[in-house]
Amino acid sequence: MSTKTDAARDADDADVGAAGSQMSTAPEEEVSFPSLGPIGWARWFWRQLTSMRVALILLFLLSLGAIPGSLVPQTSIDPTKVEQFRADHTTLAPVYDKLGLFHVYSSVWFSAIYLLLFISLIGCIVPRTWQFVGQLRGRPPGAPRRLTRLPAYTTWRTDRAPDEVLGAAQQLLKKRRFRAHTVGDAVAAEKGYLREAGNLVFHISLIVILVAVAVGSLWKSEGGKLITEGDGFANSLTQYDNFKSGAFYDTDDLEPFGFSLKSFDASYERTGPQKGTPREFRANISYFQGADGTEHQGKIEVNHPLEIADSKIFLLSHGYAPVVEVTDGRGKKVYSGAVPFLPQDMQNYTSTGVVKVPNAQTADGRRNQLGFSGFFVPTYGGKGSGSMFSTFPALDNPRLTLTAYHGDLGVDSGLPQSVYQLEKKNLKQYQQDGRAVAQMMQPGETMKLPGGDGSIKFVGVKQWATFQVSHQPGNGLALIGAVAVLLGLAGSLFIQRRRVWVRAVRGADGLTVVELAGLGRSESARLPEELADLAEALGPDAPQTAGPEAGADAKKPAGPGAAVPAPTEPDNAAKPSDSADPADPSEGARA
């Protein structure tokens, strides 16, 4: 079976007529110019906006608009990085501010693209859906008058009656899941509706994803919490170290649950080129759900969150918290507990931190707030190593180095301050023999303060972990949309919509002329192959019969599925009204 050229097909469009109509649910484009005036321009704008071309352009613009969101620090994700960027780029930062690049996903221009894409997709899909429903309710159109002009065609003669051939053809086509019915002297059949269904599913799924993104953005909540071994967390707004939520999220809707960090397991590669690489990070927790919920045991690992009450708890980071005891000038213990130090070297965990003691007093009872700043190393290389930095991330040889201050910590000023930084504006550094009071300690050692103002003891080390509690209501919907997009795309790419006609009429020689032709929405080698298979399957019910000889040079028909010239139409066949010229033999494609 052969395929006709595009030029030949264009020439035959008028002859094919309704047979090739509505092979797609794409709305027909009308070349018309809007009349002057608001209504005309509004109609023109709506037609442009709801065209698939504009939808693809908007989707491309949305992809481009998301690029700055991944390259430029975002206020909603990391305000600290944004402030650092402003300080480092004093000229560029004001420009970024005007363009909204520090909050791309909530900017006016990104929201405009998002909404226009949403409207465009809906405007594209609604008319296509109604048109597709109409096609499902209708029947395949009748056969063209000249089947020889279709791109896939074959013919033969048989001694079976036309009604018998048409009945067998309709039964065969229905058996192969074609929608088939008899129209006049031919059976019309169509198959491949799932192509258009897949196309619609693909575009509807894009809307589902857009809705999921909107729902996830407007009703989401996300908060972080650092927890030391032995401490716990309850899901209330005051318990979070940082918290952000969508515009429509109500903090009163926080689900009642909580968890405690029982222990933290961490192991590292100790030899080879990957020395120090983490091998295991696991937080062992106990959690409850509801006001009177039963306590359960669980674990959280990297990329393996724990789901509680429609929220997911992710393990983000890990570090060390030296345990210290502070005694003031009266000999009274004024502070005891673990103080989280933040890693400055994520490979070996050299960490910095501060200890604040606002309720200390001197020996004579005067108020004397104490502050200590320093750094912690889990594995000290030793005095001969020539470095104060950690040489390994595990707790092999921990050291705590502190520098002591006293005065006013500023905690009573009412102004917020970081628990990981020491405000030294109103503090004085302890001096002894003209040197700053500082000491490196290992667990169990104590540093005494000058003038009998007290001491600080390095008791031991605990581990801490930071968790992110995330509530993303649109994730499930987005997953469904993404899967549907792939399914719809696969259907629209791999399923071919095609129509097949089988005509059987009595010829002048008394034999039945059987014509089999097919038309696909697009050029494909599968259609001629399928037509040849149908012709072969129909052969037993309409066996080929040799016609009367027409002279010495006459050739017998080769049978179903073989290449034959276009047949001479019988006297009692319907004559085409558009042309009386015989069809060119090249138009009879091989099946």
Side-chain angles (χ1 to χ4, degrees), residues 331-353:
K332 182 179 179 180
K333 185 184 299 183
V334 290
Y335 183 87
S336 178
V339 183
F341 275 47
L342 301 182
Q344 305 301 308
D345 170 19
M346 295 306 298
Q347 182 176 0
N348 293 317
Y349 285 87
T350 299
S351 309
T352 61

Side-chain angles (χ1 to χ4, degrees), residues 142-154:
R145 286 168 297 191
R146 304 182 71 174
L147 293 178
T148 56
R149 298 201 173 192
L150 295 182
Y153 172 82
T154 188

